[in-house]
Amino acid sequence: MEDERDDDARPMTPEESLALIARQTEETRRGIGPNPAVLLAVWGLVWLFGFGLVYVSAPPTALLPLWAAAVITVAGFAGAMAYSAVYGIRASRGVRGPSRLVGAMYGWSWMIAFGGLTVVNTALIRLGLDTELIPLLWSGTALVLTGLMYLAGGMLWQSRVQYGLGVWIIACGAASVLAGGPHNFLVLSVAGGGGFLVASLVFLVRAR
């Protein structure tokens, strides 16, 4: 009995202490933070069904008026962005210090980057960009920028899954331009949306 008490009371080694801290931090994160799997699944479904709907609404299939498909897709993206805002608020709840600042700066970086992208692409269109190239311009530049943001997030939070998703999205952006219209929307739907869903599944499995 005395040996057991001595063994239980012995101080932990530095390695054991670090392992305990890491384990408790991960348990706390899971307990108070939202699961990124849900956020990624939301975006994956929006890309899959939204861009897929646009693809089947474009000639030659034209199963739905293109304007109706565009309205539904925009509504889906608006809902996903609203959920992302809620996710960001929940994720930053209880966080203080440098981590909170990094999270806030990363969140604002999305808005700043896409604001600049919108200005540049709109200016190019007004300068006489060919109408057939407009969808390719938006899909290519938006995906490359999205991929870069995920690369940055992967580096900031040392997440291989997020970094890998960034690489995949950039590849999808390049492939969408190479595919041409309207097949670029098929690439966005299947490859882009599928990439988000695979990343969501990885986070879901890791959380168990």
Side-chain angles (χ1 to χ4, degrees), residues 76-99:
F77 271 86
M81 286 188 288
Y83 180 80
S84 298
V86 173
Y87 175 89
I89 294 172
R90 289 180 58 196
S92 62
R93 187 180 301 163
V95 179
R96 297 291 183 271
S99 296

Side-chain angles (χ1 to χ4, degrees), residues 3-73:
D3 292 340
E4 291 181 1
R5 287 196 299 270
D6 290 342
D7 185 66
D8 293 338
R10 70 175 178 82
M12 291 188 295
T13 64
E15 292 78 10
E16 291 172 336
S17 299
L18 290 174
L20 177 61
I21 292 172
R23 185 167 61 252
Q24 291 178 337
T25 300
E26 179 63 17
E27 291 175 355
T28 301
R29 183 191 66 78
R30 293 179 181 177
I32 66 175
N35 192 340
V38 178
L39 177 65
L40 292 171
V42 168
W43 279 105
L45 292 174
V46 168
W47 281 44
L48 182 65
F49 291 105
F51 289 125
L53 188 61
V54 173
Y55 173 70
V56 299
S57 300
T61 54
L63 298 180
L64 189 72
L66 195 55
W67 66 266
V71 169
I72 295 173
T73 302

